Each structure stands twice: as C-alpha cells, then as structure tokens.
Amino acid sequence: MEWMHFLRWTHIIGATVLLGTGAGIAFFMVMAHRTRDARLIAHTASIVVIADWLFTATAVAAQPITGTLLAMEMGWPLTQGWIVAALALYVFTGLFWLPVVWIQHKLRDLAREAAETGAPLPERYFRLYRIWFACGFPAFFAVLAILWLMVARPAF
C-alpha cells in the first residue's frame, strides 16, 4: 500500500510541476516580452530555458513512468478509455512543447544579441514569439484536460 501512495504522490507532483511550470514560464515570458527590453527578455528567457529543462523535462519523463506503474498497481488496463485519451493528449501536448522549447532558446539568443549590440529586437524575434504564444494555448488546455481525466476517470 505504501508503494501505491508513493506512486500516486509522485504522479500528482509531476502533474503539478507540468501545470505550474508551464503557467509560470508563460507568465514570465509574456511579462518580459511586454517590456520590449532586450536585456530583460534575454535574462528572463535564460531562466525560462533552465526551468524548462530542469523542471518540465523531468516531469515529462517521469509522468508516463509513474502513470504506467500506478495504473498497473491499481489494476487499470492501459487500454481504458480515459487513460488512452490522457496519453493521446500527452503526446499532443508534447508536439507543442518541443517547438516551444526550441523557440525559447531562439528568443533568448535573439534578445541576447540585440542587447549586446544595442540593436532593437529583430522581426524574427517577434515572429517566433507569436508562434511561441500560439503554441502555448493548446498545450496548456491539453494539460488541464489530462488533469481532469486523471481526477474524473470517465468511462468512455
């Protein structure tokens, strides 16, 4: 029984980290972007990149492991409708998260270059920012849907 509680706890912590880090990263990037200050954006984006690799990537790797072990421990087949839906949404989220991570690196680099040279942020920065911003919505709502599926476990 202790093992199951540990799995449940780690799975919930992972889900919380995914939601919280995603929301926090988005908030700080948007707030930095609004300043149009290349130095501030470069600094914020540097921290965001570290946070994404340290927290988000760790949770992304742990969630399928803890989720699979928890389902096995609970006796839930991985073919159950809500689990299949959650896994599909997880992949969907990843398809948006991977480009977002790449874009965050590029935003950081473009802002650093502008800050170092004293030049304004280039048009490429703004184009990538719009893509980054647009990718965040489907990924965020997919994570919310996954959390709902985990809690409600509806019968499909």
Side-chain angles (χ1 to χ4, degrees):
M1 194 59 151
E2 291 300 317
W3 173 241
M4 188 172 57
H5 288 300
F6 174 75
L7 286 174
R8 186 176 285 165
W9 179 77
T10 56
H11 198 65
I12 291 169
I13 293 296
T16 305
V17 167
L18 286 177
L19 183 64
T21 304
I25 282 171
F27 175 79
F28 288 111
M29 282 295 291
V30 167
M31 296 309 287
H33 171 79
R34 289 179 51 171
T35 69
R36 303 292 197 259
D37 180 339
R39 285 182 335 116
L40 181 61
I41 293 167
H43 176 72
T44 302
S46 295
I47 293 169
V48 160
V49 165
I50 292 167
D52 236 353
W53 285 115
L54 183 62
F55 299 110
T56 311
T58 303
V60 164
Q63 284 305 95
I65 296 166
T66 59
T68 299
L69 292 172
L70 185 57
M72 290 170 40
E73 191 71 25
M74 298 292 287
W76 296 330
L78 296 178
T79 56
Q80 245 181 332
W82 71 270
I83 294 176
V84 171
L87 290 171
L89 285 168
Y90 193 76
V91 170
F92 176 81
T93 302
L95 292 174
F96 283 95
W97 178 68
L98 290 172
V100 159
V101 171
W102 179 83
I103 290 170
Q104 287 170 179
H105 281 82
K106 292 297 175 190
L107 293 175
R108 177 200 61 196
D109 296 345
L110 291 166
R112 273 185 187 164
E113 187 177 316
E116 288 168 1
T117 63
L121 292 164
E123 178 52 39
R124 183 166 185 235
Y125 167 88
F126 292 100
R127 188 172 52 254
L128 286 171
Y129 177 83
R130 287 189 297 272
I131 295 167
W132 174 87
F133 190 83
C135 285
F137 285 99
F140 183 76
F141 287 111
V143 170
L144 288 177
I146 293 167
L147 290 170
W148 179 81
L149 287 166
M150 286 171 40
V151 172
R153 297 189 300 271
F156 299 147

